[in-house]
Amino acid sequence: MKRELDHIDMEILKLLRMDGRTPLKEIAEKVYLSSPAVSGRIERMEREGYITGYGVKVNPVLLGYPIKAFINLEVEPIQKKEFYPYIEKVHNVVECNCVTGDYSMLIEGLFSSTIELDQFIGELQHFGRTRTQIVFSTSVEHREVL
């Protein structure tokens, strides 16, 4: 059974969000608990689904993906069974959301060139009409809700 998170749990989450590699001892000192108590809280939050994983932030530009694009795609409901397995396999796609409005999908992708982006859009048009926006700059990058 899930229980509500208290202010200590929230502080632990905040510290882990800032750096998932923060040592337990350091977290414990900051929240005024023992390391085993902090470990227990983290394990409980993992078990209950509050913590879904740990990761690393990478710089896509340095990895050869300087172009970020948001692509709206109109997919008919009957095509979703074919579309979802396809989109999950596309390594350029970092996020795909089913949304309301004129288009049913909002896709965020990273690309090495506009040629690569154009080829991807061509593939997407198999599923329906697209509208693409290329990002010039990002003032707020993906961030957590806390």
Side-chain angles (χ1 to χ4, degrees):
M1 172 182 2
K2 282 187 187 178
R3 64 178 194 135
E4 290 292 315
L5 300 181
D6 63 18
H7 71 283
I8 295 173
D9 292 329
M10 296 300 282
E11 185 64 21
I12 292 169
L13 288 176
K14 179 180 159 191
L15 293 167
L16 288 172
R17 252 192 35 247
M18 291 184 333
D19 182 359
R21 295 176 61 176
T22 304
L24 279 177
K25 183 178 180 184
E26 187 177 321
I27 295 171
E29 289 171 1
K30 290 182 179 180
V31 299
Y32 307 104
L33 292 177
S34 67
S35 294
V38 169
S39 178
R41 284 174 177 256
I42 291 171
E43 288 173 9
R44 179 183 48 79
M45 288 188 284
E46 290 170 344
R47 191 172 51 254
E48 293 177 355
Y50 290 103
I51 297 174
T52 58
Y54 299 86
V56 90
K57 287 186 175 184
V58 297
N59 184 331
V61 173
L62 293 179
L63 291 173
Y65 297 94
I67 297 169
K68 180 191 291 189
F70 288 94
I71 304 156
N72 288 291
L73 172 65
E74 184 177 41
V75 176
E76 295 297 324
I78 196 161
Q79 291 179 293
K80 287 182 180 179
K81 191 173 185 176
E82 178 187 356
F83 173 74
Y84 286 137
Y86 162 78
I87 204 69
E88 286 177 7
K89 292 178 183 164
V90 179
H91 77 277
N92 298 76
V93 172
V94 295
E95 191 166 328
C96 179
N97 300 283
C98 185
V99 298
T100 62
D102 293 337
Y103 295 86
S104 55
M105 297 293 162
L106 176 60
I107 301 163
E108 179 181 352
L110 300 171
F111 301 89
S112 61
S113 66
T114 54
I115 294 169
E116 185 180 36
L117 171 59
D118 185 47
Q119 290 170 343
F120 176 62
I121 292 168
E123 292 174 17
L124 282 180
Q125 289 173 342
H126 164 77
F127 296 100
R129 164 177 78 103
T130 63
R131 187 183 79 202
T132 303
Q133 297 170 302
I134 295 176
V135 175
F136 289 141
S137 65
T138 301
S139 58
V140 177
E141 191 56 64
H142 292 273
R143 61 181 174 195
E144 301 295 325
V145 294
L146 297 176

